Amino acid sequence: MGTRFDAVLFDAGGVLVLPDPAVLAPLISYYGGDDRHEAYVRAHYAGMAAKSASTAGESDWTQYNETYLSHLSVPEEHRDTALGVLTHVKSNAHLWRHPIPGSAETLRELEARGVPIGVVSNASGQIESTLRLSGICQVGAGPHAQVRCVVDSHVVGIEKPDPRIFDHALVHFAGIERSRIAYVGDSLVMDVRGSRAAGLHPILVDPYDDATDHDVERIKMLGDLLSLI
Ligand SMILES: [Mg+2]
């Protein structure tokens, strides 16, 4: 198989899909905020970096939402209202559906190379269906890249960074050494800490170099994986 890795597992949010800017931009620009797609992409990764810095758990998105909004140039007088709207809409897991350009292609290429792949996500029971609807992957044969599993924390009852969530994926990768399995995520706390504790090799998606001070292998985009494998 690969020279460094024999299998790859993926986080979903921030790696395969993002909170949909096509939904959020009209909501936030109504309050005078930025409506450019790229501002919402930047806001996500900045939010994740702030969330990790605060070592907030999965359930606390306060830091994330505040930082996210701070990147959207909402005038001071509307900031609280916009934050309330953002927080409310963001709490719906189905919003995490915008396919990150290159993610579907990268999964397909890994599949074509015979690299076993799967997904492990802190989610709300929806992520397998979202990944299919967003054209990224499905479990088993189908129109998109084929993954061995999509583990949803809500379904299995354990969430990252608890390393035991990975056991639900690893049963589908029997015979492959854990240290030869990469886990690609965008959170230092949930993904890097969790997968490291499970004995996997963490890789952080860090498109804006927010985590240069941290001891972790980083990539800017998912396609960068193809030269690492
Ligand atoms: Mg994520």
Side-chain angles (χ1 to χ4, degrees):
M1 214 71 70
T3 53
R4 289 183 59 200
F5 304 112
D6 297 326
V8 186
L9 291 170
F10 295 88
D11 175 28
V15 173
L16 303 175
V17 289
L18 281 175
D20 197 341
V23 175
L24 291 166
L27 288 172
I28 300 302
S29 61
Y30 176 81
Y31 298 102
D34 205 323
D35 66 352
R36 294 169 308 124
H37 178 96
E38 56 271 29
Y40 290 76
V41 177
R42 176 58 186 123
H44 167 77
Y45 293 100
M48 289 306 295
K51 189 174 191 290
S52 291
S54 74
T55 65
E58 177 59 43
S59 58
D60 183 2
W61 289 84
T62 311
Q63 284 292 330
Y64 174 95
N65 287 331
E66 286 175 357
T67 304
Y68 192 103
L69 193 74
S70 75
H71 280 261
L72 300 175
S73 314
V74 175
E76 174 74 43
E77 71 261 39
H78 299 310
R79 212 163 287 161
D80 288 351
T81 311
L83 182 60
V85 170
L86 178 72
T87 301
H88 179 73
V89 174
K90 272 281 186 62
S91 69
N92 190 321
H94 294 275
L95 186 70
W96 295 69
R97 66 184 196 183
H98 173 71
I100 297 176
S103 61
E105 293 79 358
T106 301
L107 296 196
R108 276 182 183 287
E109 176 60 23
L110 290 172
E111 182 191 11
R113 293 188 191 181
V115 179
I117 52 178
V119 176
V120 177
S121 170
N122 282 359
S124 304
Q126 89 295 357
I127 195 65
E128 183 175 351
S129 144
T130 298
L131 292 175
R132 196 171 50 240
L133 275 169
S134 292
I136 291 170
C137 62
Q138 76 278 315
V139 177
H144 316 304
Q146 179 172 339
V147 293
R148 291 192 178 186
C149 62
V150 175
V151 175
D152 183 313
S153 62
H154 179 79
V155 174
V156 300
I158 306 172
E159 63 183 24
K160 300 174 288 183
D162 188 329
R164 292 174 299 168
I165 190 173
F166 294 99
D167 294 341
H168 290 275
L170 293 171
V171 294
H172 301 280
F173 297 81
I176 303 178
E177 244 182 77
R178 288 182 178 225
S179 63
R180 299 272 305 172
I181 301 176
Y183 182 67
V184 185
D186 67 334
S187 165
L188 286 164
V189 176
M190 257 86 70
D191 302 329
V192 174
R193 189 185 299 170
S195 63
R196 205 171 258 162
L200 310 179
H201 181 94
I203 296 175
L204 185 75
V205 176
D206 184 22
Y208 300 93
D209 290 329
D210 292 320
T212 47
D213 293 344
H214 293 268
D215 179 25
V216 62
E217 184 163 5
R218 299 177 303 117
I219 55 175
K220 285 209 186 279
M221 57 184 74
L222 218 52
D224 296 347
L225 265 184
L226 298 172
S227 56
L228 289 182
I229 298 298

